[in-house]
Amino acid sequence: MVLMTLEYLREYRTYFHIEKSYGVSESYAYKAIKWVEDVLIKDGSLALPGEKALLKSEIEQEVILIDATETPIELPKRGQSFTV
């Protein structure tokens, strides 16, 4: 069950592919993965610190923003030749 969960989380495999790999039904794969996730969440030892804890931290953090806005492309008009 843990291996199924790791494959699901790491490789983004679908329940269908997990079903075929392990010879179980899709519903069983879903229930098993959900159960492992719930156990890990309830354990708490793997929990990440919240935003407030990160802001209170004395560790310097570097933030990089990437502008990924779309810009229109100027295409030559019909009949016009393309020059470089």
Side-chain angles (χ1 to χ4, degrees):
M1 288 173 33
V2 173
L3 188 57
M4 281 194 293
T5 304
L6 290 174
E7 287 181 8
Y8 174 75
L9 295 173
R10 177 70 173 111
E11 299 174 4
Y12 303 107
R13 296 185 68 184
T14 62
Y15 296 119
F16 174 78
H17 289 105
I18 293 172
E19 165 196 5
K20 295 301 178 188
S21 295
Y22 291 94
V24 297
S25 67
E26 281 186 64
S27 62
Y28 177 79
Y30 170 79
K31 289 175 187 175
I33 291 169
K34 187 71 175 156
W35 181 83
V36 172
E37 288 176 341
D38 290 343
V39 168
L40 292 174
I41 290 169
K42 287 179 186 175
D43 180 37
S45 64
L46 300 175
L48 297 173
E51 182 181 354
K52 291 180 182 179
L54 291 174
L55 292 175
K56 291 180 184 178
S57 173
E58 295 183 15
I59 299 172
E60 258 186 61
Q61 297 178 8
E62 183 177 345
V63 177
I64 298 173
L65 298 176
I66 298 173
D67 183 14
T69 56
E70 293 184 21
T71 56
I73 299 173
E74 295 181 23
L75 297 174
K77 293 182 181 175
R78 191 173 276 184
Q80 184 181 10
S81 64
F82 179 74
T83 57
V84 179

